[in-house]
């Protein structure tokens, strides 16, 4: 039972990190929304959702996680961020 509790604590810590990153990135993006940079905020929110799903899947609490979908999203996400930063 202690092993399960440790996994659960690690998962909650990871989710907390994801949400902190989301809050930081979205607050930065809120400043840019007036300039029309809504795409990055959308990607940040969806990245957080995918990351939480992955964490929940790793501890056996979410069965519908698709690793291929996650990898495709992350590839698209990185491309979009790279394109955004080139501007």
């Amino acid at each position: 039972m202690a092993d399960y509790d440790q996994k659960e604590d690690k998962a909650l810590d990871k989710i907390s990190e994801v949400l902190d990153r989301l809050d930081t990135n979205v607050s930065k993006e809120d400043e840019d929304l007036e300039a029309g940079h809504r795409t990055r905020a959308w990607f940040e929110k969806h990245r957080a959702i995918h990351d939480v799903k992955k964490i929940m899947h790793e501890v056996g609490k979410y069965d519908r996680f698709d690793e291929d979908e996650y990898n495709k999203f992350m590839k698209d996400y990185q491309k979009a961020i790279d394109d955004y930063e080139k501007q």
Side-chain angles (χ1 to χ4, degrees):
M1 193 61 147
D3 185 46
Y4 176 76
D5 290 337
Q6 288 177 343
K7 280 185 176 182
E8 189 175 79
D9 285 343
K10 277 183 151 179
L12 291 174
D13 288 343
K14 287 181 180 180
I15 290 170
S16 178
E17 290 171 13
V18 167
L19 294 175
D20 285 341
R21 184 180 66 229
L22 175 64
D23 287 341
T24 300
N25 290 333
V26 169
S27 67
K28 284 183 206 174
E29 293 306 313
D30 284 344
E31 296 169 6
D32 292 339
L33 283 179
E34 293 173 10
H37 301 293
R38 297 171 195 255
T39 304
R40 186 168 181 171
W42 181 89
F43 270 107
E44 290 293 344
K45 291 173 185 175
H46 280 77
R47 177 183 179 192
I49 291 167
H50 279 281
D51 287 346
V52 169
K53 286 179 178 181
K54 181 177 182 181
I55 294 163
M56 297 298 289
H57 178 74
E58 289 171 350
V59 296
K61 295 292 184 181
Y62 186 77
D63 295 331
R64 297 183 305 186
F65 177 74
D66 182 347
E67 187 77 30
D68 292 334
E69 178 184 332
Y70 176 79
N71 291 334
K72 182 185 179 322
F73 174 81
M74 291 306 293
K75 182 179 174 183
D76 293 344
Y77 170 81
Q78 191 58 51
K79 183 182 180 321
I81 295 303
D82 291 345
D83 291 346
Y84 173 78
E85 290 176 351
K86 288 178 185 176
Q87 296 178 2

